[in-house]
Amino acid sequence: MAADCLASGIRELVTFAVGLQREEGNVRAAVELPYSNGVAEGNVTRLKQIRRAMYGRGNFDLLRVRVLVAPSTGAAGEPHYLTVPTPQ
């Protein structure tokens, strides 16, 4: 497929093929290995949603409280809450 894209002479396809060839190992690993960064990405998305909802409404301390008490979903799809030890 990459060879066909390179031979096409179409600039966008050539750029795509060069990128695939450069990242071939990473692309193969993403397709073949069972690992995923889905949990981390889900948390990033959740934090971004909270931050957007908080825009212009308070300071970092309020944002921190909202992040710590905001529900997220567990492995079974049930909501669970982050537990953070309280400072002594």
Side-chain angles (χ1 to χ4, degrees):
M1 179 178 138
D4 293 335
C5 290
L6 288 171
S8 72
I10 300 171
R11 186 177 55 120
E12 290 83 1
L13 289 178
V14 171
T15 303
F16 174 70
V18 169
L20 278 182
Q21 288 177 337
R22 182 178 56 242
E23 300 292 334
E24 181 180 1
N26 295 332
V27 172
R28 284 189 186 280
V31 173
E32 295 172 356
L33 296 177
Y35 307 112
S36 171
N37 65 342
V39 173
E41 292 296 333
N43 282 322
V44 168
T45 300
R46 183 178 64 86
L47 292 172
K48 285 182 179 183
Q49 288 174 338
I50 293 169
R51 188 189 70 201
R52 287 185 195 118
M54 293 282 301
Y55 185 76
R57 293 189 178 102
N59 57 15
F60 178 76
D61 293 331
L62 181 59
L63 175 62
R64 181 179 181 276
V65 170
R66 293 273 311 260
V67 167
L68 293 177
V69 299
S72 59
T73 48
E78 301 168 353
H80 71 277
Y81 294 86
L82 296 173
T83 56
V84 176
T86 52
Q88 300 296 328

